[in-house]
Amino acid sequence: MINRYGMVPAAFFLFVFAIFFTTLFPSPHKTCIDKNMIVLDNLDREKYSEQQIVNYGKSIGTGCNEDTSYQLTAS
């Protein structure tokens, strides 16, 4: 097949397969960030200042890098 059609179809197939395979299994880091972003979006804006919300948002990335079971707790 490569002799007949060249390397382009094989490279395209490999590229499509790699994209499909990597999207099949979500990364634990992304899952952790998504769960914590939902918590962050649901914070009571009257109870927390904008600076506190920004600090919680920054802690999400750091916490999820260190431990994928990290849960944002705003108490």
Coordinates of all heavy atoms in Angstrom, one line a residue:
M1 N 0.8 -1.2 0.0 CA 0.0 0.0 0.0 C 0.9 1.3 0.0 O 0.6 2.2 -0.7 CB -0.9 0.0 1.2 CG -1.8 1.2 1.3 SD -3.0 1.1 2.6 CE -3.3 2.8 2.9
I2 N 1.9 1.2 0.8 CA 2.8 2.4 0.8 C 3.5 2.7 -0.5 O 3.6 3.8 -1.0 CB 3.8 2.3 2.0 CG1 3.1 2.4 3.3 CG2 4.9 3.4 1.9 CD1 4.0 2.1 4.5
N3 N 3.9 1.6 -1.2 CA 4.5 1.7 -2.5 C 3.5 2.3 -3.5 O 3.9 3.1 -4.4 CB 5.0 0.4 -3.0 CG 6.2 -0.1 -2.2 OD1 6.9 0.7 -1.6 ND2 6.5 -1.4 -2.2
R4 N 2.3 2.0 -3.4 CA 1.3 2.4 -4.4 C 0.8 3.8 -4.1 O 0.7 4.6 -5.0 CB 0.1 1.4 -4.3 CG -0.9 1.7 -5.4 CD -2.0 0.6 -5.4 NE -2.9 0.8 -6.5 CZ -4.0 0.1 -6.7 NH1 -4.2 -0.9 -5.9 NH2 -4.7 0.4 -7.7
Y5 N 0.5 4.2 -2.8 CA 0.0 5.5 -2.5 C 0.9 6.4 -1.8 O 0.6 7.6 -1.7 CB -1.2 5.3 -1.6 CG -2.4 4.5 -2.2 CD1 -2.6 3.2 -1.8 CD2 -3.1 5.0 -3.2 CE1 -3.6 2.4 -2.3 CE2 -4.1 4.3 -3.8 CZ -4.4 3.0 -3.4 OH -5.4 2.2 -3.9
G6 N 2.0 6.0 -1.4 CA 3.0 6.9 -0.7 C 2.8 6.9 0.8 O 2.0 6.2 1.3
M7 N 3.5 7.8 1.5 CA 3.4 7.8 2.9 C 2.3 8.7 3.4 O 1.9 8.6 4.6 CB 4.8 8.4 3.4 CG 5.9 7.5 3.3 SD 5.8 6.0 4.3 CE 5.9 6.7 6.0
V8 N 1.7 9.6 2.6 CA 0.7 10.5 3.1 C -0.5 9.8 3.7 O -1.0 10.1 4.8 CB 0.3 11.5 2.0 CG1 -0.8 12.4 2.4 CG2 1.5 12.3 1.6
P9 N -1.1 8.8 3.0 CA -2.3 8.1 3.6 C -1.9 7.4 5.0 O -2.7 7.4 5.9 CB -2.7 7.1 2.6 CG -2.2 7.6 1.3 CD -0.9 8.3 1.7
A10 N -0.7 6.8 5.0 CA -0.3 6.1 6.2 C -0.1 7.1 7.4 O -0.5 6.8 8.5 CB 1.0 5.3 6.0
A11 N 0.5 8.2 7.1 CA 0.7 9.2 8.1 C -0.7 9.8 8.6 O -0.9 10.1 9.8 CB 1.6 10.4 7.5
F12 N -1.6 10.0 7.6 CA -2.9 10.5 8.0 C -3.6 9.5 8.9 O -4.2 9.9 9.9 CB -3.7 10.8 6.7 CG -5.1 11.3 7.0 CD1 -5.3 12.6 7.5 CD2 -6.2 10.5 6.8 CE1 -6.6 13.1 7.8 CE2 -7.5 11.0 7.1 CZ -7.6 12.2 7.6
F13 N -3.6 8.3 8.5 CA -4.2 7.2 9.3 C -3.6 7.2 10.7 O -4.4 7.1 11.7 CB -4.1 5.9 8.7 CG -4.6 4.8 9.5 CD1 -6.0 4.6 9.6 CD2 -3.8 3.9 10.2 CE1 -6.5 3.6 10.4 CE2 -4.3 2.9 11.0 CZ -5.7 2.7 11.1
L14 N -2.3 7.3 10.8 CA -1.7 7.2 12.1 C -2.1 8.5 13.0 O -2.3 8.4 14.2 CB -0.2 7.2 12.0 CG 0.7 7.1 13.2 CD1 0.3 5.8 14.0 CD2 2.1 7.1 12.9
F15 N -2.1 9.6 12.3 CA -2.5 10.9 13.0 C -4.0 10.7 13.5 O -4.2 11.1 14.7 CB -2.4 12.0 12.0 CG -2.9 13.3 12.6 CD1 -2.1 14.0 13.5 CD2 -4.1 13.9 12.2 CE1 -2.5 15.2 14.0 CE2 -4.5 15.1 12.7 CZ -3.7 15.8 13.7
V16 N -4.9 10.3 12.7 CA -6.3 10.1 13.1 C -6.4 9.1 14.2 O -7.1 9.3 15.2 CB -7.2 9.7 11.9 CG1 -8.6 9.3 12.4 CG2 -7.2 10.9 10.9
F17 N -5.7 8.0 14.2 CA -5.7 7.0 15.2 C -5.2 7.5 16.5 O -5.7 7.3 17.6 CB -4.9 5.8 14.8 CG -4.9 4.7 15.8 CD1 -6.0 3.9 16.1 CD2 -3.7 4.5 16.6 CE1 -5.9 2.9 17.0 CE2 -3.7 3.5 17.6 CZ -4.8 2.7 17.8
A18 N -4.1 8.3 16.5 CA -3.5 8.9 17.7 C -4.5 9.9 18.3 O -4.7 9.9 19.6 CB -2.2 9.6 17.4
I19 N -5.2 10.7 17.6 CA -6.2 11.6 18.1 C -7.3 10.9 18.7 O -7.8 11.2 19.8 CB -6.7 12.6 17.0 CG1 -5.6 13.5 16.5 CG2 -7.8 13.4 17.5 CD1 -5.0 14.5 17.5
F20 N -7.8 9.9 18.0 CA -8.9 9.1 18.6 C -8.5 8.4 19.9 O -9.3 8.4 20.8 CB -9.3 8.0 17.5 CG -10.3 7.0 18.1 CD1 -11.6 7.4 18.3 CD2 -9.9 5.7 18.4 CE1 -12.6 6.5 18.8 CE2 -10.9 4.8 18.9 CZ -12.2 5.2 19.1
F21 N -7.3 7.8 19.9 CA -6.9 7.1 21.1 C -6.7 8.0 22.3 O -7.1 7.6 23.4 CB -5.6 6.3 20.8 CG -5.2 5.4 21.9 CD1 -5.9 4.2 22.1 CD2 -4.1 5.7 22.7 CE1 -5.5 3.3 23.1 CE2 -3.8 4.9 23.8 CZ -4.4 3.7 24.0
T22 N -6.2 9.2 22.1 CA -5.9 10.1 23.2 C -7.2 10.7 23.7 O -7.3 11.1 24.9 CB -4.9 11.2 22.9 OG1 -5.4 11.9 21.7 CG2 -3.6 10.6 22.6
T23 N -8.2 10.8 22.9 CA -9.5 11.4 23.4 C -10.4 10.3 24.0 O -11.4 10.7 24.6 CB -10.3 12.1 22.2 OG1 -10.5 11.2 21.2 CG2 -9.5 13.3 21.7
L24 N -10.1 9.1 23.8 CA -10.9 8.0 24.3 C -10.8 7.9 25.8 O -11.7 7.6 26.5 CB -10.4 6.7 23.7 CG -11.3 5.5 23.8 CD1 -12.6 5.7 23.2 CD2 -10.6 4.3 23.2
F25 N -9.6 8.2 26.4 CA -9.4 8.2 27.8 C -9.1 9.6 28.3 O -8.0 10.1 28.0 CB -8.2 7.2 28.1 CG -8.4 5.9 27.6 CD1 -7.7 5.4 26.5 CD2 -9.3 5.0 28.2 CE1 -7.8 4.2 26.0 CE2 -9.4 3.7 27.7 CZ -8.7 3.3 26.6
P26 N -10.0 10.2 29.1 CA -9.7 11.5 29.6 C -8.6 11.5 30.7 O -8.4 10.5 31.4 CB -11.0 11.9 30.3 CG -11.7 10.6 30.6 CD -11.3 9.6 29.6
S27 N -7.8 12.5 30.7 CA -6.7 12.6 31.6 C -7.2 12.9 33.0 O -8.2 13.6 33.2 CB -5.7 13.7 31.2 OG -6.1 14.9 31.7
P28 N -6.6 12.3 34.1 CA -7.1 12.5 35.4 C -6.9 14.0 35.8 O -7.7 14.5 36.6 CB -6.2 11.7 36.3 CG -5.4 10.7 35.4 CD -5.6 11.3 34.0
H29 N -5.9 14.7 35.3 CA -5.6 16.1 35.6 C -6.8 16.9 35.1 O -7.3 17.8 35.8 CB -4.3 16.5 35.0 CG -4.0 18.0 35.2 ND1 -3.6 18.4 36.4 CD2 -4.0 19.0 34.4 CE1 -3.4 19.7 36.3 NE2 -3.7 20.1 35.1
K30 N -7.2 16.7 33.9 CA -8.4 17.4 33.3 C -9.6 17.2 34.0 O -10.4 18.1 34.3 CB -8.5 17.1 31.8 CG -9.8 17.7 31.2 CD -9.5 18.6 30.1 CE -10.7 19.1 29.3 NZ -11.7 19.7 30.1
T31 N -9.9 15.9 34.4 CA -11.1 15.6 35.2 C -11.1 16.3 36.5 O -12.1 16.8 37.0 CB -11.1 14.0 35.4 OG1 -11.1 13.4 34.1 CG2 -12.4 13.6 36.1
C32 N -9.9 16.3 37.2 CA -9.8 17.0 38.5 C -10.1 18.5 38.3 O -10.8 19.1 39.1 CB -8.4 16.9 39.0 SG -8.0 17.8 40.5
I33 N -9.5 19.1 37.3 CA -9.8 20.6 37.0 C -11.2 20.8 36.7 O -11.8 21.8 37.2 CB -8.9 21.1 35.9 CG1 -7.4 21.2 36.4 CG2 -9.3 22.5 35.4 CD1 -6.4 21.6 35.4
D34 N -11.9 20.0 35.9 CA -13.3 20.2 35.6 C -14.2 20.1 36.8 O -15.1 20.9 36.9 CB -13.7 19.1 34.5 CG -13.1 19.4 33.2 OD1 -12.6 20.5 32.9 OD2 -13.1 18.4 32.3
K35 N -13.9 19.1 37.7 CA -14.8 19.0 38.9 C -14.6 20.2 39.8 O -15.6 20.7 40.3 CB -14.4 17.7 39.7 CG -14.9 16.4 39.1 CD -14.7 15.3 40.0 CE -13.2 15.0 40.2 NZ -13.0 13.8 41.0
N36 N -13.4 20.7 39.9 CA -13.2 21.8 40.8 C -13.7 23.1 40.2 O -14.0 24.1 40.9 CB -11.7 21.9 41.1 CG -11.3 20.9 42.2 OD1 -11.9 20.8 43.2 ND2 -10.3 20.1 41.9
M37 N -13.7 23.2 38.8 CA -14.2 24.4 38.2 C -15.7 24.5 38.4 O -16.3 25.6 38.5 CB -13.9 24.4 36.7 CG -12.5 24.7 36.4 SD -11.9 26.3 37.0 CE -12.9 27.4 36.0
I38 N -16.4 23.4 38.5 CA -17.8 23.4 38.8 C -18.1 24.0 40.2 O -19.0 24.8 40.4 CB -18.4 22.0 38.6 CG1 -18.4 21.6 37.2 CG2 -19.8 21.9 39.2 CD1 -18.8 20.1 36.9
V39 N -17.3 23.5 41.1 CA -17.4 24.1 42.5 C -17.1 25.6 42.5 O -17.8 26.4 43.1 CB -16.4 23.3 43.4 CG1 -16.3 24.0 44.8 CG2 -16.8 21.9 43.6
L40 N -16.1 26.0 41.8 CA -15.7 27.4 41.7 C -16.8 28.2 41.1 O -17.1 29.3 41.6 CB -14.4 27.5 40.9 CG -13.7 28.9 40.9 CD1 -13.2 29.3 42.3 CD2 -12.6 28.9 39.9
D41 N -17.4 27.7 40.0 CA -18.5 28.5 39.4 C -19.7 28.6 40.3 O -20.5 29.5 40.1 CB -18.9 27.8 38.1 CG -17.9 28.0 37.0 OD1 -17.0 28.9 37.1 OD2 -17.9 27.2 36.0
N42 N -19.9 27.7 41.2 CA -21.1 27.7 42.1 C -20.8 28.4 43.4 O -21.7 28.4 44.3 CB -21.6 26.3 42.3 CG -22.1 25.6 41.1 OD1 -22.7 26.3 40.2 ND2 -22.0 24.3 41.0
L43 N -19.7 29.0 43.6 CA -19.4 29.7 44.8 C -20.4 30.9 45.0 O -20.7 31.6 44.0 CB -18.0 30.3 44.9 CG -16.9 29.2 45.2 CD1 -15.5 29.9 45.1 CD2 -17.1 28.6 46.5
D44 N -20.8 31.2 46.2 CA -21.7 32.3 46.5 C -20.9 33.6 46.3 O -19.9 33.9 47.1 CB -22.2 32.2 47.9 CG -23.3 33.2 48.2 OD1 -23.7 34.0 47.3 OD2 -23.7 33.3 49.4
R45 N -21.2 34.4 45.4 CA -20.5 35.7 45.1 C -20.7 36.7 46.2 O -19.9 37.6 46.3 CB -20.9 36.3 43.8 CG -20.7 35.4 42.6 CD -19.3 35.3 42.2 NE -19.2 34.4 41.0 CZ -18.0 34.1 40.5 NH1 -16.9 34.5 41.0 NH2 -18.0 33.2 39.5
E46 N -21.7 36.6 47.0 CA -21.9 37.5 48.1 C -21.0 37.1 49.3 O -20.7 37.9 50.1 CB -23.4 37.5 48.5 CG -24.3 38.1 47.4 CD -25.7 38.1 47.8 OE1 -26.1 37.7 48.9 OE2 -26.5 38.4 46.9
K47 N -20.7 35.8 49.4 CA -20.0 35.3 50.6 C -18.5 35.5 50.4 O -17.7 35.7 51.3 CB -20.4 33.9 50.9 CG -19.7 33.3 52.1 CD -20.2 31.9 52.4 CE -19.6 31.3 53.6 NZ -20.0 29.9 53.8
Y48 N -18.0 35.3 49.1 CA -16.6 35.3 48.8 C -16.3 36.5 48.0 O -17.0 36.9 47.0 CB -16.2 34.0 48.1 CG -16.4 32.8 48.9 CD1 -17.5 32.0 48.6 CD2 -15.5 32.4 49.8 CE1 -17.8 30.9 49.4 CE2 -15.7 31.3 50.6 CZ -16.9 30.5 50.3 OH -17.1 29.4 51.1
S49 N -15.1 37.2 48.3 CA -14.7 38.3 47.5 C -14.1 37.8 46.2 O -13.8 36.7 46.0 CB -13.7 39.1 48.3 OG -12.4 38.4 48.4
E50 N -14.0 38.7 45.2 CA -13.4 38.4 43.9 C -11.9 37.9 44.1 O -11.5 36.9 43.4 CB -13.4 39.6 43.0 CG -14.8 39.9 42.4 CD -15.4 38.7 41.6 OE1 -14.6 38.1 40.8 OE2 -16.6 38.4 41.8
Q51 N -11.2 38.5 45.0 CA -9.8 38.1 45.3 C -9.8 36.6 45.8 O -8.9 35.8 45.4 CB -9.1 39.0 46.2 CG -7.6 38.7 46.4 CD -6.9 38.8 45.0 OE1 -7.2 39.6 44.2 NE2 -6.0 37.9 44.8
Q52 N -10.7 36.3 46.7 CA -10.7 34.9 47.2 C -11.1 33.9 46.1 O -10.5 32.8 46.1 CB -11.8 34.8 48.3 CG -11.4 35.4 49.6 CD -12.6 35.3 50.6 OE1 -13.7 35.7 50.3 NE2 -12.2 34.9 51.9
I53 N -12.0 34.3 45.3 CA -12.3 33.4 44.2 C -11.2 33.2 43.2 O -10.9 32.1 42.7 CB -13.6 33.9 43.4 CG1 -14.8 33.8 44.4 CG2 -13.9 33.2 42.1 CD1 -16.1 34.5 43.9
V54 N -10.4 34.3 42.9 CA -9.2 34.2 42.1 C -8.2 33.3 42.7 O -7.6 32.5 42.0 CB -8.7 35.6 41.8 CG1 -7.3 35.5 41.2 CG2 -9.6 36.4 40.9
N55 N -8.0 33.4 44.0 CA -7.0 32.6 44.7 C -7.5 31.1 44.7 O -6.6 30.2 44.5 CB -6.8 33.0 46.2 CG -6.1 34.4 46.2 OD1 -5.4 34.8 45.3 ND2 -6.3 35.1 47.3
Y56 N -8.7 30.8 44.8 CA -9.2 29.5 44.7 C -9.0 28.9 43.3 O -8.6 27.8 43.2 CB -10.7 29.4 45.1 CG -11.0 29.5 46.5 CD1 -12.1 30.2 47.0 CD2 -10.3 28.8 47.5 CE1 -12.4 30.4 48.3 CE2 -10.6 29.0 48.8 CZ -11.6 29.7 49.3 OH -11.9 29.8 50.6
G57 N -9.2 29.8 42.3 CA -9.0 29.3 40.9 C -7.6 29.0 40.7 O -7.3 28.0 40.0
K58 N -6.6 29.8 41.2 CA -5.2 29.5 41.0 C -4.8 28.3 41.8 O -3.9 27.5 41.3 CB -4.4 30.7 41.5 CG -4.5 31.9 40.6 CD -3.7 33.1 41.1 CE -3.9 34.3 40.3 NZ -3.2 35.5 40.8
S59 N -5.4 28.0 42.9 CA -5.1 26.8 43.7 C -5.6 25.5 43.0 O -5.0 24.4 43.3 CB -5.6 26.9 45.1 OG -7.0 26.7 45.1
I60 N -6.5 25.6 42.1 CA -7.0 24.4 41.4 C -5.9 23.8 40.5 O -5.7 22.6 40.6 CB -8.2 24.8 40.5 CG1 -9.5 25.1 41.4 CG2 -8.6 23.7 39.5 CD1 -10.6 25.6 40.6
G61 N -5.3 24.6 39.7 CA -4.2 24.1 38.9 C -3.1 23.5 39.7 O -2.6 22.4 39.4
T62 N -2.6 24.2 40.8 CA -1.6 23.6 41.6 C -2.0 22.4 42.3 O -1.2 21.4 42.4 CB -1.2 24.7 42.6 OG1 -0.9 25.9 42.0 CG2 0.0 24.3 43.4
G63 N -3.2 22.4 42.9 CA -3.7 21.2 43.6 C -3.8 20.0 42.7 O -3.5 18.9 43.1
C64 N -4.3 20.2 41.5 CA -4.6 19.1 40.6 C -3.2 18.5 40.1 O -3.1 17.4 39.7 CB -5.5 19.5 39.5 SG -7.2 19.6 40.0
N65 N -2.2 19.4 40.0 CA -0.9 18.9 39.5 C -0.3 18.0 40.6 O 0.4 17.1 40.3 CB 0.0 20.1 39.2 CG -0.1 20.6 37.9 OD1 -0.6 19.9 37.0 ND2 0.2 21.9 37.7
E66 N -0.5 18.4 41.9 CA 0.1 17.6 42.9 C -0.6 16.3 43.2 O 0.0 15.3 43.5 CB 0.2 18.5 44.2 CG 1.1 19.7 44.1 CD 1.0 20.6 45.2 OE1 0.2 20.4 46.1 OE2 1.7 21.6 45.2
D67 N -2.0 16.4 43.1 CA -2.8 15.2 43.5 C -4.1 15.3 42.7 O -4.8 16.2 42.8 CB -3.1 15.2 45.0 CG -3.9 14.1 45.5 OD1 -4.1 13.1 44.7 OD2 -4.5 14.2 46.6
T68 N -4.3 14.3 41.9 CA -5.5 14.3 41.0 C -6.8 14.1 41.8 O -7.9 14.2 41.3 CB -5.4 13.3 39.9 OG1 -5.2 12.0 40.4 CG2 -4.3 13.7 38.9
S69 N -6.7 13.7 43.1 CA -7.9 13.6 43.9 C -8.2 14.9 44.7 O -9.0 14.9 45.6 CB -7.8 12.4 44.9 OG -6.8 12.6 45.8
Y70 N -7.5 15.9 44.3 CA -7.6 17.2 45.0 C -9.0 17.7 44.8 O -9.6 17.7 43.8 CB -6.6 18.2 44.4 CG -6.8 19.6 44.8 CD1 -6.3 20.1 46.0 CD2 -7.4 20.5 44.0 CE1 -6.4 21.4 46.4 CE2 -7.6 21.9 44.3 CZ -7.1 22.3 45.5 OH -7.2 23.6 45.9
Q71 N -9.6 18.2 45.9 CA -10.9 18.7 45.9 C -10.9 20.1 46.5 O -10.4 20.4 47.6 CB -11.9 17.9 46.8 CG -12.1 16.5 46.2 CD -12.9 16.5 44.9 OE1 -13.8 17.3 44.7 NE2 -12.4 15.8 44.0
L72 N -11.4 21.1 45.7 CA -11.4 22.5 46.2 C -12.5 22.5 47.3 O -13.6 22.1 47.1 CB -11.9 23.4 45.0 CG -12.0 24.9 45.3 CD1 -10.7 25.5 45.7 CD2 -12.6 25.6 44.2
T73 N -12.1 23.0 48.4 CA -13.0 23.2 49.5 C -13.0 24.7 49.9 O -12.0 25.2 50.3 CB -12.6 22.4 50.7 OG1 -11.3 22.6 51.1 CG2 -12.8 20.9 50.4
A74 N -14.1 25.3 49.7 CA -14.2 26.7 50.1 C -15.1 26.8 51.3 O -16.3 26.6 51.2 CB -14.8 27.5 49.0
S75 N -14.5 27.0 52.5 CA -15.3 27.0 53.7 C -15.2 28.3 54.4 O -14.4 29.1 54.2 CB -14.9 25.8 54.6 OG -13.5 25.8 54.8

